[in-house]
Amino acid sequence: MGLHLNYELRLPGSTTAAEVTALLEKVRAFAGELPFERVSDLHLPEPGSHDSRAGGLRFLASVIEKVSAEEGVDLISDADSVRGFAVWPGAGCETAAFAFMKRAAEGGERPEWYWHTCCKTQYASVIGDAHLVACHTGLVKMLDYAIELGVEVVVRDEAHYWETRNEQRLIMEVRNMNRIVAAFAGKLADLGILAEGQLRAPIFEHRRFERLEMG
């Protein structure tokens, strides 16, 4: 449970693998200039390779690889073609993957390079509001830069920063969700469901957890 930044990335099917790689290198270099905790190397797979060093990216690709339907057309992704990198924005924030893989209809129609994923940024707020803003807006800056490079980007920001560009709105949405999660987690703890050794809840690490729990 938590607020996510969800995004889809698309490039025309006519884009060569070399052009996709060059674009990803530019975005990765841009990410390296942001105050992120870490940026991974760029993963460039060999056909059929299952490089254990890029297991997380390959796993995400295999999930997306499943047939998806858009506008009545079944589109099938090729996980073996995935290339990209990951960023760790900072403590409390999930890893975000920036990648592309080939996708097309069964007969080869509607080819494109495609990616979609999400990153939960809410618990960066456990560190503080400024840290939350840095993590969340840093990811948005990367998506903005990708658009400048010609990538088609679709975003669904559950904290509503993408469409408003309002840092106070971001903080408010996260605070509201923190209160909801704290109340829910507190109830589970009272019932013994969140006892030590069972489930973990990042909201418990918030320095104002008890106040959040009370609403």
Side-chain angles (χ1 to χ4, degrees):
M1 180 182 292
L3 297 178
H4 295 77
L5 181 67
N6 308 272
Y7 54 91
E8 298 180 10
L9 310 174
R10 285 186 172 87
L11 285 169
S14 57
T15 310
T16 66
E19 289 170 336
V20 174
T21 298
L23 185 149
L24 285 168
E25 286 174 339
K26 290 180 179 179
V27 179
R28 181 179 174 276
F30 182 82
E33 298 174 357
L34 296 170
F36 289 149
E37 181 176 323
R38 186 157 68 93
V39 179
S40 79
D41 293 335
L42 184 62
H43 169 61
L44 300 174
E46 295 293 333
S49 170
H50 295 271
D51 186 347
S52 61
R53 293 172 299 177
L57 185 62
R58 185 60 175 72
F59 172 75
L60 288 175
S62 68
V63 173
I64 301 172
E65 186 178 35
K66 296 178 181 179
V67 176
S68 57
E70 292 189 7
E71 299 176 0
V73 178
D74 288 339
L75 298 173
I76 306 172
S77 299
D78 176 15
D80 284 335
S81 67
V82 67
R83 61 202 63 226
F85 64 95
V87 299
W88 288 263
C93 188
E94 288 184 339
T95 303
F98 286 76
F100 287 100
M101 62 181 177
K102 293 179 180 178
R103 187 170 81 155
E106 186 174 0
E109 300 87 1
R110 292 183 56 175
E112 64 178 355
W113 290 90
Y114 178 76
W115 188 252
H116 79 82
T117 192
C118 64
C119 177
K120 186 186 298 182
T121 63
Q122 177 177 338
Y123 298 117
S125 65
V126 170
I127 309 301
D129 289 343
H131 181 68
L132 163 70
V133 169
C135 291
H136 195 94
T137 62
L139 293 172
V140 167
K141 288 174 183 176
M142 288 185 65
L143 294 170
D144 283 338
Y145 183 63
I147 291 173
E148 291 180 16
L149 295 178
V151 180
E152 180 183 345
V153 176
V154 177
V155 176
R156 183 169 63 86
D157 187 345
E158 294 172 356
H160 301 291
Y161 178 78
W162 176 261
E163 63 269 30
T164 66
R165 304 303 168 114
N166 186 323
E167 293 181 3
Q168 290 305 310
R169 174 71 182 273
L170 166 63
I171 292 169
M172 180 193 72
E173 293 290 343
V174 168
R175 285 179 178 174
N176 287 341
M177 182 55 74
N178 279 343
R179 282 192 284 269
I180 293 171
V181 174
F184 182 67
K187 290 293 185 183
L188 292 180
D190 292 341
L191 294 171
I193 297 175
L194 283 177
E196 184 177 355
Q198 294 183 333
L199 300 177
R200 287 185 65 252
I203 195 65
F204 286 133
E205 300 172 15
H206 201 293
R207 64 186 183 279
R208 299 174 62 212
F209 171 76
E210 293 183 356
R211 184 172 177 180
L212 289 169
E213 184 184 11
M214 293 185 295

